[in-house]
Amino acid sequence: MTKPLILVSNDDGITSRGIRVLVDVMKQLGEVVVVAPDSPQSGMGHAITIGNTLRLSEEEIFQDVLAYKSSGTPADCVKLAKHYVLKDKKPDLIVSGINHGSNTSISVLYSGTMSAAIEGAIEGYPSIGFSLCDYSSQADFSHVENYVYQIAKQVLEFGIPKGVALNVNFPPKRNEALKGIKICRQARAKWQEDFEERYDPNGRKYFWMAGNFVNFDKGEDNDEWAIANNFAAVVPCQFDMTAHHAIAQINDDWDWEGLKTSI
Amino acid sequence: MTKPLILVSNDDGITSRGIRVLVDVMKQLGEVVVVAPDSPQSGMGHAITIGNTLRLSEEEIFQDVLAYKSSGTPADCVKLAKHYVLKDKKPDLIVSGINHGSNTSISVLYSGTMSAAIEGAIEGYPSIGFSLCDYSSQADFSHVENYVYQIAKQVLEFGIPKGVALNVNFPPKRNEALKGIKICRQARAKWQEDFEERYDPNGRKYFWMAGNFVNFDKGEDNDEWAIANNFAAVVPCQFDMTAHHAIAQINDDWDWEGLKTSI
């Protein structure tokens, strides 16, 4: 039996600790190819490089693994992997991460890690983004390795519904062992930003964005609840942004007669 | 009666033709404040600036309008507007655009224009992204000005369901007048990329991303159909990425016994 082909990317860059852990786990499940950014791309959302050039070069960084680094975003990396690196070979699984930091709730929109997974789902491949809710570059991933393995194995075995990518977040390492996995929904929360004003050596003003995560969600079926209660949170994500429930409402609310006469 | 406060942003940059048209139309409806990128940010998706500094400076570019340019992304601009420029003043409407180029279908994910509108919706403000399906920097916006006015007026008057931003796309100027407005869903389509390989003067390889838009959607209730048939397409968008239908399926499909014993 041929081994499954597994494409690995991330947003913290090809030298991060998280991608090394992910590559090591995936090597136990299949043949691994890496295409990842050459520098940190956190917060890049679903950005792609359209007004600029892209670099891509092979990098001997992981043992027995074909790896490329790119100047592009995580979404660019998946596109380059598909059309340039893998060409006619189709990956059986695309995994992104393991991110150093949470991608729960609304952060899925800003997440470079998840943009690689969503890009994979758009292309029709089973795709998973993994994140650890610990921002340290030296984060301890030891409590999640077996979970990453098991979740990827489930996906290779049972697949994921079409057009869906999994957003998997793990609690930081605590004294207590992880309690298990919750398949859940994105929590209703947002970031409350704060801009810190500073002056550069030439006296010109600049800003640092900082912020606090504010959770409005009282439910127990969401990813924030799962993380707070020491479960791994698995949110199936899709890329139809349509607010289907709002179509009828807007059709009802708007004054179409007014629109017709004045347009 | 106080005039409505309207925040304007975009992704093509503060000097683009599209934002000038948008500012002129919005001035007929309220008091306008502009916070927009200082350079083109197309394809930035929902990127934010977290590992780098941000610049923001006042710019006398529109007549009788307070305007700021920023080094940040469209989402950054809305955050800076809320927390720094407007402070305690709450906008009655946030508009982004008018983008030079289509943001229909899957492009909503890659769109900087829409990320500003989605960011507005996350913050709880009625928000609209406007795009013209014409990529030319000298695009003719004359056929859409009254539509932009009417749609913004409807939203100021009737609001938008909570947590929803409108993605409005207009067909390019054709001989025939626009047929009207369709409230519709995001078409099922994707970009089929192609990477053009070139060599720089030092002999090092680089790539340009190019691509064709591939529409799989046979429906007549989607934004691609609307544009092809010379309607303005209005898609209500939301920011819950959860594939709610997939939660039960994954709970059913996965071998939880296996997960329990091996984790």
Side-chain angles (χ1 to χ4, degrees):
Chain A
M1 217 180 97
T2 36
K3 281 168 125 186
L5 178 60
I6 303 175
L7 174 68
V8 178
S9 193
N10 79 340
D11 78 346
D12 289 319
I14 199 163
T15 59
S16 73
R17 196 180 172 97
I19 199 170
R20 267 187 284 147
V21 174
L22 190 55
V23 166
D24 284 343
V25 175
M26 291 304 127
K27 279 166 80 174
Q28 301 168 41
L29 286 164
E31 182 199 341
V32 175
V33 175
V34 176
V35 183
D38 60 14
S39 62
Q41 297 273 340
S42 294
M44 282 306 278
H46 211 96
I48 49 171
T49 304
I50 49 180
N52 225 320
T53 57
L54 282 165
R55 297 281 184 178
L56 180 75
S57 57
E58 209 176 319
E59 190 78 5
E60 285 186 26
I61 183 166
F62 307 105
Q63 211 179 349
D64 303 323
V65 167
L66 180 66
Y68 289 83
K69 65 174 182 185
S70 167
S71 60
T73 65
D76 290 333
C77 287
V78 172
K79 289 176 184 291
L80 279 163
K82 177 178 192 248
H83 297 285
Y84 187 82
V85 175
L86 300 178
K87 283 195 183 105
D88 298 334
K89 288 204 229 166
K90 289 189 189 308
D92 298 290
L93 178 64
I94 299 181
V95 289
S96 174
I98 302 172
N99 191 58
H100 294 247
S102 166
N103 279 317
T104 57
S105 180
I106 194 73
S107 301
V108 67
L109 284 190
Y110 306 104
S111 164
T113 304
M114 277 308 294
S115 79
I118 296 278
E119 191 61 39
I122 293 171
E123 291 295 339
Y125 304 117
S127 303
I128 317 170
F130 291 105
S131 304
L132 177 68
C133 299
D134 182 337
Y135 290 87
S136 162
S137 63
Q138 297 306 312
D140 186 342
F141 290 92
S142 60
H143 61 307
V144 310
E145 286 173 20
N146 190 34
Y147 275 81
V148 170
Y149 176 86
Q150 293 296 341
I151 291 169
K153 195 159 163 276
Q154 295 280 326
V155 169
L156 281 168
E157 204 159 325
F158 303 110
I160 312 181
K162 205 180 155 187
V164 169
L166 301 186
N167 182 17
V168 180
N169 280 270
F170 296 108
K173 180 140 182 152
R174 296 176 177 137
N175 289 333
E176 172 198 51
L178 288 195
K179 279 189 194 139
I181 293 174
K182 290 270 180 205
I183 314 292
C184 42
R185 63 173 173 81
Q186 170 184 328
R188 199 169 61 80
K190 65 163 200 159
W191 287 90
Q192 182 68 39
E193 276 82 19
D194 193 20
F195 288 94
E196 201 181 308
E197 211 171 319
R198 298 192 184 179
Y199 289 85
D200 70 19
N202 299 314
R204 290 177 58 224
K205 195 164 27 180
Y206 68 94
F207 297 86
W208 284 106
M209 190 191 293
N212 294 310
F213 185 74
V214 191
N215 187 3
F216 306 113
D217 205 317
K218 297 197 175 76
E220 299 195 349
D221 56 346
N222 64 68
D223 50 6
E224 276 299 308
W225 186 92
I227 297 298
N229 288 276
N230 216 25
F231 286 93
V234 177
V235 178
C237 294
Q238 47 88 46
F239 44 85
D240 178 5
M241 303 283 284
T242 311
H244 291 275
H245 68 284
I247 293 179
Q249 194 175 334
I250 294 172
N251 264 319
D252 284 353
D253 287 353
W254 282 16
D255 175 8
W256 291 88
E257 215 43 59
L259 280 171
K260 266 184 219 146
T261 51
S262 34
I263 286 171
Chain B
M1 216 178 98
T2 35
K3 281 166 123 188
L5 177 61
I6 303 175
L7 174 68
V8 177
S9 193
N10 79 339
D11 78 346
D12 290 318
I14 199 163
T15 61
S16 74
R17 195 180 172 96
I19 199 170
R20 268 185 284 146
V21 174
L22 190 55
V23 166
D24 284 343
V25 174
M26 290 305 126
K27 279 165 80 174
Q28 299 168 42
L29 286 165
E31 182 198 342
V32 175
V33 174
V34 176
V35 183
D38 59 15
S39 62
Q41 297 272 340
S42 294
M44 282 307 278
H46 212 96
I48 49 171
T49 304
I50 49 181
N52 225 320
T53 57
L54 282 165
R55 297 281 185 177
L56 180 75
S57 58
E58 209 176 320
E59 190 78 5
E60 285 185 26
I61 183 166
F62 307 104
Q63 211 179 349
D64 304 323
V65 167
L66 180 67
Y68 289 81
K69 65 175 182 184
S70 167
S71 59
T73 65
D76 290 333
C77 288
V78 172
K79 288 177 185 290
L80 279 164
K82 176 176 193 249
H83 297 283
Y84 187 82
V85 175
L86 299 177
K87 285 196 181 104
D88 298 334
K89 287 203 230 169
K90 290 190 190 310
D92 298 290
L93 178 64
I94 298 181
V95 290
S96 175
I98 302 172
N99 191 56
H100 293 246
S102 166
N103 279 318
T104 56
S105 180
I106 194 74
S107 301
V108 67
L109 283 190
Y110 306 104
S111 165
T113 305
M114 277 308 295
S115 79
I118 296 278
E119 191 61 39
I122 293 172
E123 291 295 340
Y125 303 117
S127 302
I128 318 169
F130 291 104
S131 304
L132 177 68
C133 298
D134 182 337
Y135 290 88
S136 162
S137 63
Q138 297 305 311
D140 186 342
F141 290 92
S142 61
H143 62 306
V144 309
E145 287 173 18
N146 190 34
Y147 275 81
V148 170
Y149 176 87
Q150 293 295 341
I151 291 169
K153 197 161 162 274
Q154 296 280 326
V155 169
L156 282 168
E157 204 159 325
F158 303 110
I160 312 180
K162 205 179 155 188
V164 169
L166 302 185
N167 182 17
V168 180
N169 280 269
F170 296 106
K173 179 140 183 152
R174 295 176 178 138
N175 289 332
E176 172 198 50
L178 288 195
K179 280 190 192 136
I181 293 174
K182 290 270 182 206
I183 313 292
C184 42
R185 62 173 173 82
Q186 171 183 328
R188 200 170 60 82
K190 67 163 199 160
W191 286 90
Q192 181 68 39
E193 276 81 22
D194 192 20
F195 288 93
E196 201 181 308
E197 211 172 319
R198 298 192 185 178
Y199 289 84
D200 69 19
N202 300 315
R204 291 177 57 223
K205 194 163 29 179
Y206 68 95
F207 297 86
W208 284 106
M209 190 191 293
N212 294 310
F213 185 74
V214 191
N215 187 3
F216 307 114
D217 205 316
K218 297 197 175 75
E220 300 195 348
D221 56 345
N222 64 69
D223 50 6
E224 278 299 308
W225 186 92
I227 297 297
N229 289 276
N230 216 26
F231 286 93
V234 177
V235 177
C237 293
Q238 48 87 47
F239 44 84
D240 178 5
M241 304 284 284
T242 311
H244 291 276
H245 68 283
I247 293 179
Q249 194 176 331
I250 293 171
N251 264 319
D252 284 353
D253 288 353
W254 282 16
D255 174 8
W256 291 88
E257 215 44 59
L259 280 172
K260 266 184 221 145
T261 51
S262 34
I263 287 171

